[in-house]
């Protein structure tokens, strides 16, 4: 991509939001894995504002997601009423600035800073795994409670898979995926078949954040959820969409700088411990557990294959996609066995 002055786009967005308050400093605080940009803005009056700039996906989906998140942040009952970082409003509406040029179509949203407590340890012990399961269940239950108060969402897993299948028939899709097109199409069709057999459309949809990397949220000393600030993969979907990343958090290898998206962690005893703790508070069904395989497949197809080169920096995208094609997609049917999970939950 040609040189783009992202700081100037952020400044432009702030002038559109409130030109009466001058910016004195803009600092890039982005994670270096993602192509999204996050900035800390210091104003002349010493107040701090956080800006997020994105240019992958669709503008309409960006606005839709942040509108839902903002409603959710206001409507969540205790103890989660202050858990989510809130976006800034202008008048009665969420403020989103769109910058369009010959080079880039980028969107900026502003957040109030949120307090951060403790980051999870890289490897959790058994007690911590159980506490995380309890907190995840309580948070999902709170999201489920207010689901009827949120703005509608146009996205669904089926819509995203249909879009990927259409992409495979374009010149761009043929260029980027060439020898893997048949493999991608095969797994899209497997997903659609199993999705229908599980009657997944009848399952409740709630707000899910998908990426529960330990750098995206903080907890209290007693391991209660305290704050969450990263919304890159937010969507309205089955709560099961969140479980693959929870399995990564509780896995035996723990959080790693060099990572892969393998399925083995869904079969670990540590993940079963998490599930049992979660199940005691917000019970799961047999269909939920069977959907785990398909949400994992969807994660690979949608976030790594379809959006990988837009979301991840090139060096990460190339590595992760190759692993998906050569290892992870071919291993799904061989390695995922729902029986130990169902037995552990008495389902």
């Amino acid at each position: 991509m040609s040189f783009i002055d992202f700081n100037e786009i952020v400044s432009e967005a702030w002038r559109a939001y409130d030109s009466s308050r001058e910016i004195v400093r803009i600092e890039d605080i982005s994670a270096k894995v993602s192509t999204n940009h996050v900035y800390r803005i210091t104003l002349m009056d010493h107040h701090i504002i956080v800006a997020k700039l994105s240019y992958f996906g669709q503008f309409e989906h960006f606005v839709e997601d942040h509108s839902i998140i903002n409603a959710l942040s206001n409507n969540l009952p205790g103890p989660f009423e202050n858990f989510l970082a809130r976006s800034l409003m202008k008048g009665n509406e969420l403020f989103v600035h769109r910058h369009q040029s010959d080079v880039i179509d980028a969107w900026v949203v502003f957040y109030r800073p949120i307090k951060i407590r403790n980051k999870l340890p890289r490897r959790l012990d058994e007690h911590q795994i159980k506490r995380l399961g309890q907190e995840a269940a309580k948070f999902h239950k709170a999201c489920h409670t207010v689901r009827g108060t949120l703005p509608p969402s146009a996205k669904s897993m089926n819509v995203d898979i249909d879009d990927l299948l259409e992409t495979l028939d374009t010149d761009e899709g043929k260029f980027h995926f060439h020898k893997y097109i048949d493999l991608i199409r095969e797994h899209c069709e497997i997903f659609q078949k199993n999705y229908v057999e599980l009657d997944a459309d009848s399952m409740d949809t709630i707000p899910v954040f998908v990426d529960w990397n330990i750098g995206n949220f903080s907890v209290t000393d007693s391991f209660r959820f305290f704050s969450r600030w990263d919304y890159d993969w937010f969507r309205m979907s089955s709560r099961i969409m969140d479980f693959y990343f929870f399995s990564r958090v509780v896995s035996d290898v723990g959080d790693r700088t060099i990572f892969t998206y393998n399925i083995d962690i869904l079969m670990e005893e540590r993940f079963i411990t998490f599930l049992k703790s979660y199940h005691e508070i917000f019970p799961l069904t047999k269909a939920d557990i069977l959907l785990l395989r398909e949400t994992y497949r969807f994660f690979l197809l949608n976030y790594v294959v379809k959006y990988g080169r837009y979301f991840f920096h090139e060096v990460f995208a190339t590595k992760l996609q190759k692993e998906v094609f050569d290892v992870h997609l071919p291993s799904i049917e061989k390695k995922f066995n729902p029986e130990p999970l169902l037995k552990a939950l008495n389902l």
Side-chain angles (χ1 to χ4, degrees):
M1 182 177 287
S2 304
F3 173 76
I4 299 169
D5 190 341
F6 289 112
N7 280 25
E8 177 52 35
I9 295 176
V10 172
S11 296
E12 171 189 295
W14 183 255
R15 290 193 296 270
Y17 178 72
D18 186 0
S19 60
S20 70
R21 302 165 71 194
E22 184 180 345
I23 292 176
V24 295
R25 184 166 62 255
I26 299 177
E27 302 167 80
D28 188 341
I29 57 172
S30 310
K32 301 309 178 184
V33 174
S34 166
T35 55
N36 283 326
H37 297 256
V38 182
Y39 300 90
R40 180 189 291 113
I41 299 172
T42 305
L43 302 172
M44 184 68 78
D45 58 13
H46 304 297
H47 285 104
I48 303 295
I49 298 295
V50 176
K52 175 183 173 182
L53 182 150
S54 183
Y55 50 85
F56 92 96
Q58 297 180 30
F59 171 72
E60 292 76 15
H61 289 166
F62 184 85
V63 174
E64 178 184 283
D65 287 349
H66 282 84
S67 297
I68 296 171
I69 294 165
N70 219 41
L72 177 65
S73 68
N74 284 297
N75 295 357
L76 275 172
F80 303 106
E81 67 271 28
N82 295 312
F83 180 56
L84 302 177
R86 287 183 167 89
S87 301
L88 298 190
M89 310 280 288
K90 186 164 185 176
N92 296 322
E93 296 182 352
L94 173 74
F95 178 81
V96 181
H97 178 74
R98 188 175 192 177
H99 170 92
Q100 292 178 293
S101 69
D102 294 338
V103 179
I104 193 171
D105 184 3
W107 326 303
V108 180
V109 64
F110 296 111
Y111 295 99
R112 291 167 47 193
I114 193 167
K115 293 181 180 179
I116 297 174
R117 287 277 182 91
N118 305 322
K119 182 179 177 180
L120 266 64
R122 288 184 176 274
R123 188 179 185 278
L124 276 59
D125 61 31
E126 184 176 359
H127 173 71
Q128 292 167 336
I129 291 172
K130 291 178 179 178
R131 291 291 295 117
L132 182 63
Q134 293 166 358
E135 283 299 291
K138 291 174 184 176
F139 179 63
H140 278 173
K141 204 168 186 178
C143 290
H144 186 271
T145 298
V146 301
R147 70 192 187 285
T149 70
L150 306 177
S153 173
K155 290 190 300 183
S156 71
M157 287 193 279
N158 265 329
V159 167
D160 281 322
I161 293 298
D162 283 340
D163 186 58
L164 175 55
L165 284 168
E166 290 176 9
T167 300
L168 298 181
D169 292 327
T170 65
D171 290 340
E172 181 184 10
K174 292 172 183 175
F175 173 77
H176 283 292
F177 301 127
H178 45 282
K179 67 177 182 177
Y180 296 111
I181 284 180
D182 289 343
L183 177 69
I184 297 169
R185 182 174 283 111
E186 175 191 356
H187 280 273
C188 286
E189 292 171 354
I190 291 172
F191 170 85
Q192 291 177 323
K193 174 179 176 292
N194 290 341
Y195 189 88
V196 170
E197 288 183 356
L198 289 169
D199 195 19
D201 274 336
S202 69
M203 296 179 180
D204 288 334
T205 59
I206 69 168
V208 293
F209 294 85
V210 183
D211 183 0
W212 285 89
N213 183 292
I214 64 173
N216 293 339
F217 67 105
S218 70
V219 297
T220 65
D221 291 341
S222 60
F223 239 66
R224 293 187 180 277
F225 281 176
F226 183 75
S227 56
R228 164 94 204 205
W229 52 87
D230 184 284
Y231 307 144
D232 286 346
W233 290 347
F234 174 84
R235 64 190 302 122
M236 295 292 292
S237 189
S238 163
R239 56 180 166 153
I240 303 304
M241 273 300 304
D242 274 348
F243 278 64
Y244 177 64
F245 263 83
F246 283 133
S247 76
R248 291 172 58 79
V249 172
V250 304
S251 69
D252 192 43
V253 298
D255 182 66
R256 294 292 180 91
T257 303
I258 299 174
F259 58 92
T260 189
Y261 291 128
N262 62 309
I263 195 171
D264 308 72
I265 52 178
L266 289 174
M267 296 288 96
E268 286 186 11
E269 285 295 329
R270 294 166 66 87
F271 181 56
I272 290 176
T273 297
F274 170 90
L275 284 179
K276 289 168 70 174
S277 182
Y278 180 104
H279 185 64
E280 290 174 359
I281 291 173
F282 195 11
L284 296 157
T285 67
K286 180 178 180 179
D288 288 329
I289 297 302
L290 296 179
L291 188 62
L292 260 175
R293 176 176 53 198
E294 299 315 313
T295 55
Y296 171 72
R297 194 189 318 268
F298 175 84
F299 170 75
L300 296 181
L301 291 170
N302 192 63
Y303 293 107
V304 186
V305 173
K306 179 181 174 185
Y307 285 133
R309 66 184 185 278
Y310 301 110
F311 182 77
F312 298 106
H313 284 304
E314 185 176 0
V315 62
F316 291 104
T318 301
K319 171 185 176 292
L320 293 171
Q321 287 183 342
K322 189 173 190 316
E323 290 171 348
V324 165
F325 298 140
D326 294 347
V327 180
H328 302 326
L329 283 176
S331 72
I332 293 177
E333 315 308 324
K334 300 174 185 175
K335 291 190 173 182
F336 183 79
N337 177 12
E339 292 308 317
L341 310 183
L342 293 169
K343 183 178 179 182
L345 302 181
N346 295 316
L347 295 175

